[in-house]
Amino acid sequence: MCIGYSVSQAPSLWRIYDAEGVLFTLEEAPLESPFIDPLDTTLLAAGVFRVLLAGRSFLQSGARTAITVRLSQSTVSLLRGRLKLGLSGRNLKMTETAAKHMYNPGRYVPLQLQEKAIRYGRRMPDPQRKAGYFRYEHGMYRLIEDKVNKTYTYKKYTLEVIVREKDWTISHLLLNAHL
């Protein structure tokens, strides 16, 4: 499950976003450890002792280059805290019409965001007054690329989801842009 993602801002500096795509924090690579650390010598001595006792072990170099971003435990904990599990384990379903709209890149909204709109959005009656259907509205942002200036900007949208609460079937979804 994705609780957030990182984007490289500079060498050893990353922008951390939560699952909704909102900038959460900046994370910096930790300082490099010394070539010989006193703790390493203790662990090395324990490893040599184990090799002598067991007669088998693999020695690996302690100097590895980290390719992935290693987030601090506090950042991971805070990201997990912002992520909410959706709808008490109920699975979302879609009507055929709503599923077809998801193939249009301009109307695509990840299921996780649809689930959050239903769980945390503003609930109101269905505009067509169908029994058992409700409309949910929830604000969201999308990152829009300006290909001329080669920049990215956030644009605010309101996600509208119409759902049948009996079986959590989405019959309609729409993104309305704010001016």
Side-chain angles (χ1 to χ4, degrees):
M1 175 181 285
C2 176
I3 62 171
Y5 59 92
S6 65
V7 175
S8 177
Q9 171 136 356
S12 302
L13 181 66
W14 297 274
R15 289 179 287 169
I16 308 300
Y17 294 89
D18 66 7
E20 293 179 348
V22 176
L23 180 64
F24 181 67
T25 188
L26 291 173
E27 186 78 17
E28 187 175 4
L31 296 174
E32 293 184 19
S33 59
F35 183 69
I36 298 176
D37 192 8
L39 185 59
D40 290 340
T41 58
T42 307
L43 294 174
L44 183 62
V48 168
F49 182 72
R50 182 173 179 210
V51 167
L52 293 175
L53 277 179
R56 60 188 163 106
S57 183
F58 297 102
L59 296 177
Q60 296 180 346
S61 171
R64 294 184 182 161
T65 305
I67 296 174
T68 59
V69 178
R70 294 191 180 221
L71 299 177
S72 64
Q73 190 60 36
S74 62
T75 302
V76 173
S77 296
L78 289 171
L79 282 171
R80 284 185 181 151
R82 289 181 70 147
L83 181 73
K84 305 292 183 188
L85 297 178
L87 300 176
S88 304
R90 297 178 181 135
N91 293 327
L92 289 176
K93 300 174 192 80
M94 289 191 149
T95 61
E96 187 176 337
T97 306
K100 283 181 183 177
H101 289 307
M102 292 290 283
Y103 284 115
N104 180 349
R107 293 188 73 175
Y108 174 78
V109 177
L111 284 175
Q112 183 179 10
L113 294 181
Q114 294 177 40
E115 191 172 330
K116 285 185 178 223
I118 294 169
R119 186 168 183 143
Y120 302 111
R122 194 174 61 193
R123 183 177 185 246
M124 53 193 78
D126 175 37
Q128 296 179 354
R129 295 188 172 91
K130 291 182 184 175
Y133 284 83
F134 292 92
R135 174 181 168 188
Y136 290 86
E137 285 186 357
H138 189 60
M140 66 176 279
Y141 291 90
R142 276 193 163 178
L143 197 57
I144 306 297
E145 179 182 12
D146 182 2
K147 294 182 181 182
V148 175
N149 297 324
K150 296 185 180 181
T151 58
Y152 292 90
T153 56
Y154 282 107
K155 188 168 184 180
K156 186 170 182 164
Y157 289 87
T158 299
L159 175 62
E160 297 176 5
V161 180
I162 297 179
V163 64
R164 183 174 56 217
E165 289 184 350
K166 177 178 140 185
D167 57 357
W168 298 105
T169 301
I170 296 172
S171 63
H172 180 74
L173 60 112
L174 178 66
L175 279 174
N176 289 326
H178 290 255
L179 298 177

